[in-house]
Structure formats: C-alpha cells, structure tokens
Amino acid sequence: MKTGKRMKMEQRLYVVGIGPGGYEKMTIEAASVLKECEIIVGYTVYVELIRDHFPGKEWLTTPMRREEERCRMAFELAQKGKKTALICSGDAGVYGMAGLVLELNPDYPDVKVNVIPGVTAALSGAALLGAALMHDFAVISLSDLLTPWETIEKRLRAAAEADLVICLYNPSSKKRADYLKKACAIIRAAASPDTVCAYVKQIGREGEEKKIMTLRELAECQVDMFTTVFIGNSQTKRIGDAMVTPRGYRIAGADGSR
C-alpha cells in the first residue's frame, strides 16, 4: 500500500580496519562489509593492499596528510546514498580515521557512522613474536607530527617507570631517523639495558621480518614506518624464538620461584 511518502535514503559510512595488510588477517566482519560496499575510500598504500580482493568496486584515494579531505570525500558519498567504506590499516580506532570521522560527523548529521574493528599492529606483531603482551602494556607512537615530542617523552618515561611493556608505532622516518634511539635512552633511565625487546617489519605483507634483541641492541637498529617495536618489562624473557611476558599463571614452586 502506498503511503504517499518516499522512504528516506539510508546514509551510512563504514570506517573499516583492514588489519596489518594480508587479506587472511582481516576480520570476517571487515571483509563482509567491504564486499557489500559500492565505494571504498582510503590512503593510496592501504588501498593497494586489498584492491585485488574486492573486484568491481569504485576506489578513491588521497595521499598522506590529506586525511580530512579523505574523510569528507567519504561522507559526501554516503550522503548521496552510496554504500561507502573508509579503510584504515590495523584498527580504525587505533591511530586510524575513526576519531576524525566522528569529529566531522556533526557536519553530516544525516550520515550514520559504523566503526568496524580490525587487528592492530600491536596484536598481530605480538602474535608473531609469541606472547609479548601477556601483561599490562602501553602503545605509544613516536611520530611528533600531531603530538609534541615533549609529550611523547613524558609518556615514554611514565610507561618505563611503571614497568609496562611498551609497543612503539611509527618508530622512525627519514626526518626522524634518531627517534628510536632517543626513546631507548629515555626508557633506559628506568629499565635494564638487557631488557628483552623486538621488532617486527611488514606485518602480514611481503618481506615480513622479526628480530628479538636487548634494549641496548635495539637502540642501534635501523627501522622504518612499517616497523612495530616491542620493549619488554622487567619480567619479559626470551624462550627459544619467542618473546614472552609472563602474567603469573605458574604456581610458585618448592623453591619459591614463579
């Protein structure tokens, strides 16, 4: 029966975390949403990681540092009733676009935003290493593009003094070649130079690499923006080829050890 009223066009924007890069590491929900969407918007590098797995889509990209333009592009498409996804590497809510999208959402009040989680590098990297994040940990980005270095220093110092495992994102770039070394120096004020550390490069992508070492050795390592660094706490150990941070499940033995 006709009501004389047109059904309101659905305006929905999905912000999708695609995981570390490999299609098999994407969540089932994320893959399902992308299959249903007509248009996929993203940073050029991330689009190329998944383009072959979603044929028949319209792809729109912007380069780095044009994040707001990318988000507004996605909103404008969603406003027109297009099933639109804005993709992010890892998880959309961990150094991704979810925050900026929700900040801009009041400018597009008719668009409903759905954030679809993904596997962030801290988790996928820790899995490659074994069990690096079994206890309390902090995730800190060394990029000072949006956060002053003085603030990053305070966070590094506080995490080290609290004996947290520390996971570092964006540890180095051409303009920040010595930032990992500086971070290690800050952490060494509260941690042993023999603290177990590791890095993982190109997680879930061609050229994937992992290496376990000490904090002293980590300070001299060459890393890049596609590297995730793990700095253990005082209990973290190396067991064979794995980095393990015990949580304390083992019952004390006869000698009182755990």
Side-chain angles (χ1 to χ4, degrees), residues 17 46 48 50 65 110 117 122 144 149 191 196 210 214 243-244:
Y46 302 151
E48 293 306 317
I50 65 168
R65 298 198 181 185
D110 293 330
D144 58 357
W149 176 251
V196 177
K210 67 175 182 178
T214 65
M243 178 179 179
V244 180

Side-chain angles (χ1 to χ4, degrees), residues 123-145:
L123 304 183
S124 53
L128 285 170
L129 291 169
L133 304 181
M134 278 291 292
H135 216 309
D136 300 335
F137 65 93
V139 178
I140 301 172
S141 171
L142 294 191
S143 173
D144 58 357
L145 183 62

Side-chain angles (χ1 to χ4, degrees), residues 2 26 35 80 103-104 112 119-120 134 191-192 204 254:
K2 294 183 179 181
M26 189 182 298
K35 286 175 183 176
K80 297 175 182 177
E103 287 183 85
L104 295 173
K112 170 70 175 175
V119 181
T120 188
M134 278 291 292
S192 166

Side-chain angles (χ1 to χ4, degrees), residues 16 41 79 103 105 116 141-142 169 242 249 251:
V16 182
V41 181
Q79 263 189 332
E103 287 183 85
N105 203 175
I116 309 300
S141 171
L142 294 191
Y169 282 30
Y249 287 117
I251 299 174

Side-chain angles (χ1 to χ4, degrees), residues 104-221:
L104 295 173
N105 203 175
D107 294 343
Y108 307 88
D110 293 330
V111 178
K112 170 70 175 175
V113 173
N114 286 80
V115 180
I116 309 300
V119 181
T120 188
L123 304 183
S124 53
L128 285 170
L129 291 169
L133 304 181
M134 278 291 292
H135 216 309
D136 300 335
F137 65 93
V139 178
I140 301 172
S141 171
L142 294 191
S143 173
D144 58 357
L145 183 62
L146 300 175
T147 305
W149 176 251
E150 293 76 15
T151 300
I152 296 171
E153 283 185 331
K154 289 179 182 178
R155 292 171 179 173
L156 288 168
R157 192 173 296 111
E161 290 175 353
D163 198 26
L164 296 172
V165 176
I166 303 172
C167 180
L168 299 178
Y169 282 30
N170 307 312
S172 184
S173 69
K174 290 181 180 179
K175 293 182 179 179
R176 300 182 292 103
D178 63 339
Y179 275 33
L180 178 58
K181 189 168 188 173
K182 290 166 65 175
C184 288
I186 292 167
I187 292 167
R188 278 187 62 169
S192 166
D194 295 319
T195 298
V196 177
C197 299
Y199 67 69
V200 182
K201 297 183 177 182
Q202 299 289 352
I203 301 170
R205 308 173 191 175
E206 185 177 352
E208 182 178 86
E209 174 191 347
K210 67 175 182 178
K211 186 174 182 179
I212 300 175
M213 68 207 76
T214 65
L215 179 57
R216 182 190 297 107
E217 294 168 328
L218 178 65
E220 305 303 321
C221 286

Side-chain angles (χ1 to χ4, degrees), residues 13 41 69-79 84-86:
L13 174 59
V41 181
E69 177 185 339
R70 194 182 313 150
C71 292
R72 291 192 182 278
M73 181 191 302
F75 267 119
E76 288 164 8
L77 291 164
Q79 263 189 332
T84 305
L86 175 65

